[in-house]
Amino acid sequence: MLKAALGAAVVVILAALAKTRNYYIAGLVPLFPTFALIAHYIVGKGRSIDDLKTTILFGMWSIIPYFVYLATLYVMVDRLRLEASLAVAAVAWLIAASILVSVWVRLHA
């Protein structure tokens, strides 16, 4: 229930921000580390500090696929409908995330 309430609250905040003069702040709200806090707590309680630090380091690198998503979306919104742009950007994120995971596994195997 708590997760659903948090998700709903974020959607309401995003919708409200999108209607304000500072609409661009809506791009910051999804980056609040809600799931990262949960993941880091679970890993930190269930595994070693070294494992937690590895999780944190991987999280730092995970910014790259998000940047790829944003850069792709920025370019595509001038060329395609919004829905298509979002789909292309999501696929770009999936590709970048897959590459990141593949490289990470090779380097840390």
Side-chain angles (χ1 to χ4, degrees), residues 35-101:
F35 294 112
L37 288 166
I38 295 166
H40 295 144
Y41 180 81
I42 292 169
V43 172
K45 284 297 194 177
R47 302 194 59 107
S48 70
I49 293 297
D50 284 340
D51 289 347
L52 175 58
K53 289 177 77 174
T54 299
T55 302
I56 294 166
L57 185 61
F58 183 77
M60 289 181 210
W61 283 99
S62 72
I63 294 168
I64 295 169
Y66 187 67
F67 179 82
V68 168
Y69 164 81
L70 291 176
T72 303
L73 186 58
Y74 186 83
V75 170
M76 298 312 292
V77 293
D78 290 329
R79 293 169 170 77
L80 301 173
R81 291 179 304 110
L82 177 60
E83 296 82 2
S85 297
L86 289 166
V88 169
V91 169
W93 181 91
L94 284 169
I95 292 167
S98 297
I99 292 169
L100 173 63
V101 170

